[in-house]
Structure formats: C-alpha cells, structure tokens
Amino acid sequence: METPSRALTIAVYNNKGGVGKTTTTLNLAATLALLKKRVLIVDFDPNQSDLGDALNLRPLKGKVLDILKNKESNIGDIITPYKFEHPKLTEPLGFDIILADEDLIGDVDEAKLKQQVKLHALRRALESVQSKYDYVLIDAPPNWRVFAQKAIYAADVVLIPARHDNLHSLQNAGMAITRFIPEMQAERQRFGDAGPTALPIFMNNAFRVSDAQLQLMHQAVAKIIKEGKANANKFDLTPYFYPKFRKGHKDLRMITIPYMAYISRADFMHMPAAFAFKPAREQYLNLVKEYFL
Ligand SMILES: Nc1ncnc2c1ncn2[C@@H]1O[C@H](COP(=O)(O)OP(=O)(O)O)[C@@H](O)[C@H]1O
Ligand SMILES: [Mg+2]
C-alpha cells in the first residue's frame, strides 16, 4: 500500500518557562536543515514570540487565529521561509517558520478561544503541509492551557527539556509524562488515532553542575519516579529520566545539552547557534542523533 511520507511532528514542551524550549526548537531545526532535512517550525507561544524574535521576524496579525478557527483557510499561506547566508556556503541553509499571531498576545479570552478553536485545530491545520517536510517542530508555551494542549495534541512525539538545577522543571517533566500527555492520548483515541508519545527528558543548560547538586537532583528524580509509580496509572518514569538504565545496571546517565555561552550569544545575533558556532552545532548534532537519526 502506498503511504505518502509525512513529517514527524515534535512538540517541545515543559510546563516551566526558561528551560530551553525555544532554543531547542530553533537549534534542532537548524541542525536538521544542515543534514538536508526539510523542516517547518511553529511559534506556538504567542505571549513570548521568542522563536520569531530569535530570527528577527515579526509576528503575523490575525493569520494564525484565522487558520485555527477556519477549516477552509490554508496554513501554507502563512509559511515564511528563513534563509541563513554565509560567504562559505555555496547555497543558503534554511527552514520554514509559522510565526506567532499578534492577536493572540496578552489578555485573550481563554473561554471564548476554547469555543472558537477546537483541540484538534493545529493538528488538522498542519495536515495539509505534512508531506512537504521531514520534521515539524512546535515551540509550545509553558502552562497547561489551550495553546500547550493543542501543541501536544498535534504532536507525534513530545520532547521535554528540563534543568538539573531547577526542581520545578523536573517535577513538571514528570507531570507532562504521567498526566498531560496521557490526557491528549485519550482525546486522540476517541478518533481512533494513537499518540502522542513522550521522548526521554533531556537536561539543558547545565552550568558547572557540582557533585553535590547532581546528588540533590538524583534524589529529587528518585522521589518523582516513586510518586509516578504510586500514581493511579502506575507510571514508571525511570526510562524517561535515565534512558540508559537497565535492570541490574544502574546507569544514571541522562541526555544533556551543557550550558554554552555560544548558545545564548546567538540570540543577540538573531541566528541559530547551530548555524553560527561549531561547538554548539556539535551539541545539537548529538541530540539529533540521540532522538531522530
Ligand atoms: N544550553 C544553553 N546554554 C546557554 N544558554 C542557554 C541554553 N539553553 C537556553 N539558553 C538560554 O536560556 C534562556 C531561556 O531559554 P529559552 O529557550 O528561551 O527557554 P523557554 O523557551 O523554555 O522559555 C535564553 O536566554 C537562552 O538563550
Ligand atoms: Mg520560549
């Protein structure tokens, strides 16, 4: 049977802000583009609009809302190409982006929005462009509210950044896997559709983590895992925090992107660190290999 190839849709999510959702979305897109993959990124965190801002692109006005509300409108009409040019490159590198919607910034009426825009709106809207890309990455907002829910609903897999030194980001990562993602799985199942699936959590932005801090982190994670097992659906979070852990081999290695000045510096230059700086590129290449190749 012929099945047209379709993009793998990845939502980058943590209920906590400042853990690297936007940075990860951008640099994974850049790294995948370097590997000649066709990539679309979606700025689905209008209150920040950081993804567009990171590339010096302004939000759109009313367009995304219109697409989410309106079955007939075509998401292809609001895709902006981003090109990175460099004297050493024979042809520009790039990917496509759906910018945030200016009309969704600030005090939007959540109850009204919930009525106007269905949970499956983003998933349905992306359907028409799925065959044009290898990867679609959605930068989801923090907080388990309408936008985050639509982003997770739309995803095949959910990538969750957390921080070694931030307890809430670790707890929220666990909560996304034990509660939020299963909620969206149940919704999708009502339409005979499987997914989304959580990928192992990765630690981002670890700045000179001391042994004492690491020990505290492992203790906190042990508690989160214990609570997960005590949960109604008896979830074992071990493989999500420790993907190398095997019975009999207590391997506590985690997937990590270290703190790198290059990564934050690239923000000021309005370009992805993975395009501009080789050491950053190598880190994100490792992440891509770990998850997607
Ligand atoms: N690995 C890293 N090394 C250095 N700075 C980082 C790293 N990851 C993220 N940052 C910086 O941390 C800040 C927050 O990251 P961001 O991606 O905006 O988080 P979120 O989207 O989750 O709110 C940004 O200033 C970003 O440049
Ligand atoms: Mg962000």
Side-chain angles (χ1 to χ4, degrees):
M1 232 168 40
E2 294 263 331
T3 38
S5 70
R6 48 173 281 140
L8 179 74
T9 303
I10 306 153
V12 184
Y13 177 69
N14 188 312
N15 202 14
K16 178 86 190 160
V19 295
K21 294 182 290 295
T22 302
T23 307
T24 305
T25 306
L26 190 65
N27 285 294
L28 282 180
T31 308
L32 289 163
L34 278 162
L35 298 170
K36 306 262 181 261
K37 305 291 183 193
R38 300 164 302 165
V39 184
L40 171 69
I41 60 178
V42 184
D43 189 344
F44 216 54
D45 187 2
N47 267 319
Q48 313 280 335
S49 315
D50 284 348
L51 194 61
D53 193 54
L55 302 171
N56 228 354
L57 300 168
R58 301 270 71 82
L60 303 168
K61 188 155 176 51
K63 302 267 177 74
V64 179
L65 182 60
D66 188 48
I67 296 229
L68 293 175
K69 284 200 304 205
N70 193 338
K71 276 198 192 98
E72 277 71 48
S73 51
N74 183 3
I75 203 164
D77 298 340
I78 58 162
I79 289 176
T80 306
Y82 167 74
K83 294 269 171 270
F84 177 79
E85 313 212 21
H86 191 275
K88 279 194 195 153
L89 288 169
T90 47
E91 54 182 302
L93 283 165
F95 44 81
D96 286 348
I97 176 166
I98 294 175
L99 292 158
D101 190 332
E102 215 175 277
D103 284 357
L104 294 171
I105 299 175
D107 294 328
V108 289
D109 182 342
E110 286 243 352
K112 195 169 152 207
L113 202 64
K114 245 183 165 159
Q115 274 182 349
Q116 291 176 327
V117 181
K118 299 278 177 285
L119 183 61
H120 60 247
L122 180 62
R123 186 167 174 80
R124 190 208 60 225
L126 288 172
E127 211 53 62
S128 64
V129 291
Q130 287 283 3
S131 62
K132 293 196 186 126
Y133 298 98
D134 300 307
Y135 296 90
V136 175
L137 292 147
I138 307 167
D139 183 17
N143 299 323
W144 188 236
R145 296 218 293 267
V146 290
F147 284 95
Q149 289 169 2
K150 289 180 209 339
I152 304 294
Y153 187 96
D156 300 315
V157 293
V158 184
L159 182 59
I160 308 171
R163 286 181 59 151
H164 287 89
D165 59 353
N166 186 295
L167 179 60
H168 297 296
S169 77
L170 298 165
Q171 290 169 333
N172 285 330
M175 201 152 66
I177 296 170
T178 56
R179 277 185 39 203
F180 301 155
I181 295 171
E183 266 178 42
M184 293 302 105
Q185 285 169 343
E187 289 293 330
R188 290 254 298 262
Q189 229 150 47
R190 292 174 45 208
F191 298 92
D193 191 5
T197 313
L199 293 170
I201 298 157
F202 78 98
M203 299 297 148
N204 181 48
N205 206 358
F207 184 51
R208 288 195 209 125
V209 192
S210 66
D211 286 347
Q213 173 59 40
L214 271 182
Q215 208 181 338
L216 279 174
M217 190 266 308
H218 285 304
Q219 278 167 11
V221 169
K223 188 159 176 266
I224 295 166
I225 291 174
K226 198 170 159 201
E227 283 163 3
K229 284 178 182 161
N231 199 321
N233 50 13
K234 295 195 172 52
F235 218 104
D236 185 7
L237 285 167
T238 311
Y240 294 95
F241 280 103
Y242 303 116
K244 310 238 176 337
F245 193 100
R246 298 284 173 275
K247 256 211 163 112
H249 298 273
K250 212 175 150 206
D251 187 337
L252 298 187
R253 273 177 295 168
M254 294 174 144
I255 304 172
T256 26
I257 290 271
Y259 169 86
M260 275 195 141
Y262 289 116
I263 294 175
S264 42
R265 196 183 306 160
D267 277 350
F268 291 85
M269 299 162 67
H270 295 287
M271 54 178 67
F275 279 160
F277 302 112
K278 190 166 174 237
R281 180 153 65 242
E282 282 167 357
Q283 291 297 333
Y284 286 102
L285 201 53
N286 285 339
L287 202 65
V288 163
K289 282 183 191 153
E290 193 72 53
Y291 287 112
F292 304 119
L293 294 185

